[in-house]
Amino acid sequence: MIFVVCGPGGVGKGTLVKRVLDLVGEIDLSRSWTTRSPRQGEDPGAYVFVGREDFEAKVRAGGFLEWTEFPGTGHLYGTPRPEAGLGEFRDLLLEIELDGARQVRRDHPDAVVILVIAPSISVQEERLRGRGDDEQSVARRLAVGRDEERLGRELADHVVVNDDLERAAGELAGIIETYRKRMETT
Ligand code: 5GP
C-alpha cells in the first residue's frame, strides 16, 4: 500500500513521519530527489541532492512516481519509482507536497492520502522561521500553504492536526494500521 503524507511547509511533516516510522514498523520511507541545495545542518541523506540536468534525465526516463516544481522556488522534487524487489517492505510512505499527492492518487487510486496541518498559522510561521527559512521564503510558503490546505482537504482521506507530536504520530500510525488490517481481511 502507498501512504501519502502531504501538507503545507512548516507543519512538521518530516518530524511526524520519522516518529510514525518507529511506531508502525515494516514500511519503507521514500527518499525524494531534489534540485534544491542542502540547508545548513540538514541531514545529507534527507534527499538525493542532484543538479537539474540529472533530475530532468530521470524525468525523461520515466523514473519518477511523481514529480513537481515547488511553487515560487523553482526547485524540482520527485519520488523515484520504487524498483521491484528493492524496497524492504510491502508498504511505502511518501512525504510530499500536494501536487505530487494528486499525481499519486491519479495513478494509484488506492493510495491513502493524509493531510497534515499545523494547529495555527502562527505555529506554522514559527516552525518555518525556526528551521532557518528567510523572511521572503516564510511569507511565500505561508501563502502557498493556505492554498495547499484548502486543496488538500478536498483530496485527503484523513486530516491530522499536528498539535502535539506524540498525539499526532499516534493518530497517523493508527490510520496506517487500520488500512493494513482492512487489507488483511479482504
Ligand atoms: P523542503 O525543501 O522544505 O525539504 O520541501 C519542500 C516541499 O517539498 C515539502 O512540502 C515537501 O513535503 C515536498 N517534497 C519533498 N519531496 C517531495 C517529492 O518527492 N515530491 C513532491 N511532490 N514533493 C516533495
Side-chain angles (χ1 to χ4, degrees):
M1 290 196 74
I2 302 179
F3 295 94
V4 182
V5 172
C6 64
V11 300
K13 279 175 295 182
T15 318
L16 188 58
V17 158
K18 278 198 202 96
R19 185 71 191 112
V20 167
L21 286 181
D22 292 337
L23 293 176
V24 298
E26 306 208 346
I27 191 162
D28 287 315
L29 176 64
S30 168
R31 186 150 71 112
S32 297
W33 284 38
T34 184
T35 60
R36 91 154 156 73
S37 308
R39 294 194 183 101
Q40 214 167 8
E42 185 174 21
D43 171 7
Y47 286 98
V48 178
F49 293 99
V50 293
R52 203 165 175 108
E53 269 177 32
D54 287 346
F55 194 102
E56 285 172 351
K58 196 170 173 79
V59 170
R60 284 193 297 275
F64 287 115
L65 204 61
E66 60 72 36
W67 68 275
T68 199
E69 183 175 313
F70 195 68
T73 67
H75 298 309
L76 306 178
Y77 295 82
T79 304
R81 261 181 212 292
E83 287 172 50
L86 268 192
E88 204 182 339
F89 302 114
R90 241 181 6 179
D91 298 331
L92 182 65
L93 184 60
L94 311 182
E95 188 240 296
I96 60 179
E97 55 68 69
L98 199 72
D99 180 52
R102 219 179 280 124
Q103 295 174 47
V104 175
R105 168 51 67 70
R106 182 195 63 207
D107 298 341
H108 302 270
D110 291 346
V112 180
V113 178
I114 301 143
L115 175 72
V116 178
I117 57 173
S120 71
I121 298 275
S122 57
V123 169
Q124 189 184 354
E125 199 172 340
E126 236 168 71
R127 285 194 185 133
L128 286 171
R129 283 217 178 85
R131 73 180 181 192
D133 282 25
D134 59 39
E135 285 307 305
Q136 201 187 352
S137 160
V138 169
R140 194 171 50 220
R141 288 205 166 193
L142 285 177
V144 171
R146 274 191 288 278
D147 285 344
E148 283 217 319
E149 181 173 332
R150 187 172 47 80
L151 296 169
R153 282 180 185 275
E154 290 169 19
L155 180 74
D157 303 296
H158 303 273
V159 179
V160 172
V161 180
N162 192 11
D163 45 7
D164 170 85
L165 177 63
E166 281 308 309
R167 194 211 61 78
E171 184 181 348
L172 193 44
I175 292 169
I176 293 174
E177 298 295 0
T178 304
Y179 281 91
R180 283 178 160 174
K181 282 205 189 93
R182 216 180 277 173
M183 279 292 278
E184 279 164 21
T185 54
T186 51

